[in-house]
Amino acid sequence: MSDGFRDASHLPKQAGRNQADPDGLPRQRRGTTPQMHGRYPDLDILAFTSHWDGPTRTLILDRVENPPPFRFFDAAEVETLKAFCDTVMHQTREPRIPVLAYVDEKLHTGRLDGYQYADMPDDRETWRLLARALDEEARARGGDAFGRVPEELRLEICGHLADDEVEGGTWEQIPRAFQVAMRAILAAFYSHPWAWNEIGFPGPAYPRGYMRLGIDQHEEWTEDEAFAVDPVGDVKERGLE
Amino acid sequence: MKGAGLVLKGSLRPKDNDSAFLLDPHRRGVPNRERMQRHRDGDEVDLVIVGCGAGGSVLAQRLGRAGWRVVVLEKGPFWDPDEDWVSDEEGAHALYWNEKRIVGGEDPVEMGKNNSGHGVGGSMAHFAGYAPRFHPSDFEVRTRDGVGADWPISYWDLKASFERVERELPVAGQHWPWGDPHGYPHGPHPITGAAERAWEGARACGIRMRVGPVAITNGVFGNRPHCIYRGFCLQGCKVNAKASPLVTHVPDAIEHGVEIRTNSMAVRIEIDGTGRCTGVTYVREGREHHQRAALVAVAGYSIETPRLLLNSTSARYPHGLANNDDQVGRYVMVQGAPQVAGRFPERLSMYKGPPPEISSEDFYETDESRGFARGFSLQSVGPLPIGWAEHVRGDGHWGAALREYMRDYNHWAVVGCLAELLPLPDNRVTLADETDHNGLPIARFDYTQCDNDRANIAYAKRVMNDVWSAAGAQDTLTIDRYAHLVGGARMGTSPEESVVDSDHRAWGVPNLLVADGSVMPTQSAANPALAIMALADRLAARLLAKRVEDGRPRPPRTGLVAVLEGGGA
C-alpha cells in the first residue's frame, strides 16, 4: 500500500469483498478505537476535552465513562441483541463500543425518534420482537439462540435480514426491523469518541472551530492518515516505541 | 447588478428589527426574557399564535412592533444555546419533534430530525442554513407546466418580503443568477475542499454553481459573531452565526411586548356560537388552560397545523375546523432529496464548514427534453459521522463493509438534490387511532410518489453521478431520502380546493389564520425557510394595512405602553 489511502482499491465495492483485512490496518497507538485498529493511530479525541464547551464535555465524557446499565432488555434479550449489534457492526473482539447499552437507555427512557411506520409496531416492541425473531431464525437453522451460534451463521442471518429475505414467524410482524434497528445502532456507535478515533473525525469543534478548510489541509492538532506516512520510520522518528 | 442603484452589502441594519443588537455579544440565548410581557389566560389578547418557528416568530415580531398584544404558544422550551445545545450529533436529539407520528403510504417519510423542530426557533434551530428564494415560476406551476397548482399570489407579491427577510437573517452568497436574479446582503463564505471537488465536477458538466445562499453571518451584524466553520449547523448553532428565529426575530418580539409561552401544547381552537374562534386551549405542566384571543394564527408546520385543525371538532365543525370541504391535511409535500457521495484520493474533511456551501438552480424549471415536469436544485452537504453512516447504510452496506467505508470518511464529499415533488390530494395528514399523553389523537402522514416524482428523482441522481464522474471520483455511494415539509392547509381561491385564502384566512372561520409552510400550494425546488418567513412578513403587512380582518378594532398600543402595563399587572 505504498500509495496509502489515496488509492481506492481497498473499498468493498472495488475490492470485491466485504471487509478490509484487519491485519492490514494500523494498530491504535494512542487513545482507543473499537478493536484497536483505525486509520489514525495517534488520534485520541479524548485528549481534546479542554477545548470543548462545558455542556458538550459533560455529555461526551459521561457517554464514555458511564455506559448505561440494562433496564429495558432482559438477560436473554441482551445476549441475543448484543450478538446482533456486534455482527452488524463487525465488532469481533474487545474493546467494543457498548452499542446495546445506549439503545437500551433510549428505549427505557422513551427517547424515540418521532415516527413509527404504519406497518410496524412501536420501536420498543420492535426491538423485543427482533430478539425473538433472531432466536427463532437461529434455531430454525439448526442452532441455538442467536447469541450462541457461530459467527458464520449470525452473518448469514443478518445478511438475509439486510436483504429483506427473512419471512415467517415473528418476522411477519416487523417488516422494517433492520431499518429501525440500524438507525439506533449507527447513532450509538458513531456518537462514541472511539469511533471518531477510528475514522479521523475530530469530534466537538466548539469553541475552537476550523481554519484550514482546503483540499488535503488539516489543522495542526489533527492527525495524518496512517498510510500517508511510513509507519515503521514514523514510530522511530517520533520516539513512540 | 443590473439596475441596482445601491450596493446593498455589509452591515445593513434592518429597519424594523433590532434582534441582532439586543443579543449579548458574549452570551448566547435571548437576554431580555426576564422582562417579557405576561398575559393572563382570561385576558383577551389581540392575537394568539400557535408555534414559535419560522412563520410564528416573524408574525409575532411584526405585530408586536405595531403594538398588538400577542401571545405565542410554543410546545417546546426556550433554548439557551450556551447551556442546552452541544457540539454533538446525538446530543442534539432534544431539538427535534420526537413525539410519535405514524408514517404510511408506499413511500413513507422519516420525521423527527429530518424535518421537525421543537422549541423556540422551530426547525430552523437545526436547519442547515440554505435560504434560497423561490422562483417566479413556482407560483404558476399549473399554468406553465400543467401540473400541481397555481398560487393565489405571485412572486412579485412576495419579492419585498424576501428582500426584507434576507436582510434580517442575514443571507450570505454570491450574486444569484437564477429565478429573479438578485444579490445578497453578505458576501459568499469561503468554501471547503469537499465543495471545491463538487464545483470542479459541475464545471466540467457545464453546470453553473454559486456559493450560498446561506443564512449565516459573514461579517459584522449587530452582536452576532462571524461563523467559525465548525460544521455543526444541524445540531443548533452555539455561535449565534446561523440564523434561526431565536436570534433573528424573538429578541425584538420580546422587546416589543410579545409573550412567548413555552412548554405549552395547543390542543384545541375554541369556537363560539357564531362560528368565530375565541382562543386556544393548551396544556402546560399537565393542566389545561385557555388563552382568549380576538384572532388566532396557527403556525405549527405541515403536520401539527392540520392535526390541530382536525382535532378542533365541535357541533358546528364535526370534521374539524376549516375542514368543511375535506381539504385540511391534504397536499402535504416533501422534496426528493437523494444524496450522492464521491470518493477522492485527497483528504476532504467534509465535516468542516457549514454543511450548505454551494448550489445550482440550473435544473429548477421544466425542461421538456427531460421527460417530466418541474425540476430540482443541487446543493453540497457535509454529513457528520452519524449522517455519513446512514448514507453508507443507504447504499446497502453493513458490518465490515460499512466499517470500512466509515474509516474512509475523510476522502468523501457529498452533493444532494432537492427535487420538487408534486402536490397530491392523498398525500395527507389524518388522525391516527393512537393518542398522545394528553389524550389527543396523533397525526398519521401517508406519502406516495407519482410517476413524475420518480422520474425527477431518478434524473437528479444521474446528474449527481455525472458531476462526480466528471470530477474524477474513484467511487460513489447513494442514499435515497426526503427533505422538508410544506402544504397541508394550502392557500387558494375557493374553499373546495384549499383551506385558506390568499390572506391566510381560513375559509368559513373569519378570525382564524394559518401562518406557516402548510399554506404553500407547491413545494418548489428551494429550501422553504425563507419563503415561510416571507409569507409571514407579507401576512403581517396585510393585517397592519387592515387588508385582513384583525378580530375587532382596538386602539394601537406602543411596545413601551404594553411593557409598562404588563409590569404593573
Side-chain angles (χ1 to χ4, degrees), chain B residues 285-434:
Chain B
E285 289 166 0
R287 277 187 46 224
E288 261 200 14
H289 302 261
H290 176 71
Q291 176 63 56
R292 293 178 60 222
L295 186 62
V296 173
V298 187
Y301 212 11
S302 293
I303 306 297
E304 294 305 317
T305 288
R307 179 185 175 211
L308 179 60
L309 295 176
L310 293 172
N311 272 326
S312 297
T313 53
S314 56
R316 193 182 185 99
Y317 302 115
H319 307 294
L321 212 46
N323 194 33
N324 290 350
D325 292 279
D326 189 26
Q327 290 293 300
V328 170
R330 291 191 183 274
Y331 303 99
V332 177
M333 289 159 275
V334 294
Q335 283 161 327
Q339 297 179 342
V340 182
R343 203 273 177 188
F344 293 89
E346 301 85 8
R347 274 181 71 172
L348 300 178
S349 308
M350 64 176 160
Y351 51 81
K352 292 185 184 180
E357 297 200 82
I358 58 171
S359 44
S360 173
E361 294 173 0
D362 267 358
F363 300 88
Y364 197 102
E365 271 91 14
T366 300
D367 172 349
E368 278 171 16
S369 72
R370 300 200 296 247
F372 57 88
R374 302 306 290 164
F376 53 92
S377 55
L378 295 177
Q379 302 178 334
S380 65
V381 288
L384 299 183
I386 295 173
W388 177 236
E390 288 168 351
H391 190 123
V392 172
R393 172 66 213 128
D395 198 77
H397 308 284
W398 59 278
L402 182 133
R403 287 280 294 279
E404 181 67 357
Y405 281 114
M406 291 303 297
R407 279 190 288 265
D408 215 44
Y409 180 49
N410 279 329
H411 290 272
W412 293 79
V414 182
V415 289
C417 80
L418 295 178
E420 176 176 352
L421 306 187
L422 300 179
L424 300 169
D426 291 335
N427 287 342
R428 65 185 303 200
V429 171
T430 53
L431 297 178
D433 297 331
E434 194 172 336

Side-chain angles (χ1 to χ4, degrees), chain B residues 136-483:
Chain B
S137 71
D138 284 317
F139 299 79
E140 42 194 54
V141 167
R142 164 63 61 183
T143 301
R144 295 167 68 109
D145 305 299
V147 295
D150 287 346
W151 293 44
I153 59 174
S154 78
Y155 170 82
W156 311 104
D157 292 313
L158 270 187
K159 176 171 178 167
S161 297
F162 279 132
E163 290 173 343
R164 205 149 37 231
V165 176
E166 280 166 358
R167 215 170 302 161
E168 292 174 288
L169 293 179
V171 183
Q174 288 184 283
H175 183 78
W176 214 243
W178 295 284
D180 173 28
H182 56 277
Y184 286 110
H186 279 200
H189 285 272
I191 62 169
T192 64
E196 292 271 13
R197 278 282 174 269
W199 206 334
E200 282 164 21
R203 209 177 279 126
C205 293
I207 299 170
R208 292 176 297 170
M209 282 279 187
R210 291 290 182 274
V211 180
V214 294
I216 302 171
T217 50
N218 188 18
V220 176
F221 191 71
N223 291 333
R224 282 174 55 199
H226 198 285
C227 178
I228 62 167
Y229 303 111
R230 73 188 177 112
F232 282 86
C233 300
L234 273 67
Q235 286 68 38
C237 184
K238 281 183 80 81
V239 180
N240 268 3
K242 190 193 79 175
S244 91
L246 189 63
V247 293
T248 62
H249 290 82
V250 164
D252 193 73
I254 292 177
E255 192 69 8
H256 289 88
V258 170
E259 178 186 352
I260 296 169
R261 205 172 292 162
T262 49
N263 303 307
S264 299
M265 172 70 184
V267 295
R268 209 164 45 251
I269 299 164
E270 306 289 356
I271 294 293
D272 67 13
T274 69
R276 295 175 62 90
C277 305
T278 59
V280 177
T281 299
Y282 64 97
V283 174
R284 187 169 205 223
E285 289 166 0
R287 277 187 46 224
E288 261 200 14
H289 302 261
H290 176 71
Q291 176 63 56
R292 293 178 60 222
L295 186 62
V296 173
V298 187
Y301 212 11
S302 293
I303 306 297
E304 294 305 317
T305 288
R307 179 185 175 211
L308 179 60
L309 295 176
L310 293 172
N311 272 326
S312 297
T313 53
S314 56
R316 193 182 185 99
Y317 302 115
H319 307 294
L321 212 46
N323 194 33
N324 290 350
D325 292 279
D326 189 26
Q327 290 293 300
V328 170
R330 291 191 183 274
Y331 303 99
V332 177
M333 289 159 275
V334 294
Q335 283 161 327
Q339 297 179 342
V340 182
R343 203 273 177 188
F344 293 89
E346 301 85 8
R347 274 181 71 172
L348 300 178
S349 308
M350 64 176 160
Y351 51 81
K352 292 185 184 180
E357 297 200 82
I358 58 171
S359 44
S360 173
E361 294 173 0
D362 267 358
F363 300 88
Y364 197 102
E365 271 91 14
T366 300
D367 172 349
E368 278 171 16
S369 72
R370 300 200 296 247
F372 57 88
R374 302 306 290 164
F376 53 92
S377 55
L378 295 177
Q379 302 178 334
S380 65
V381 288
L384 299 183
I386 295 173
W388 177 236
E390 288 168 351
H391 190 123
V392 172
R393 172 66 213 128
D395 198 77
H397 308 284
W398 59 278
L402 182 133
R403 287 280 294 279
E404 181 67 357
Y405 281 114
M406 291 303 297
R407 279 190 288 265
D408 215 44
Y409 180 49
N410 279 329
H411 290 272
W412 293 79
V414 182
V415 289
C417 80
L418 295 178
E420 176 176 352
L421 306 187
L422 300 179
L424 300 169
D426 291 335
N427 287 342
R428 65 185 303 200
V429 171
T430 53
L431 297 178
D433 297 331
E434 194 172 336
T435 56
D436 68 8
H437 59 273
N438 293 320
L440 212 64
I442 65 169
R444 173 182 170 128
F445 174 32
D446 285 284
Y447 194 82
T448 302
Q449 294 172 17
C450 65
D451 290 343
N452 195 82
D453 298 340
R454 292 182 210 283
N456 191 346
I457 291 170
Y459 191 94
K461 283 201 274 196
R462 281 202 297 281
V463 169
M464 291 189 285
N465 273 294
D466 290 347
V467 165
W468 286 135
S469 156
Q474 298 160 297
D475 202 349
T476 59
L477 293 171
T478 303
I479 181 174
D480 277 301
R481 54 188 287 284
Y482 294 112

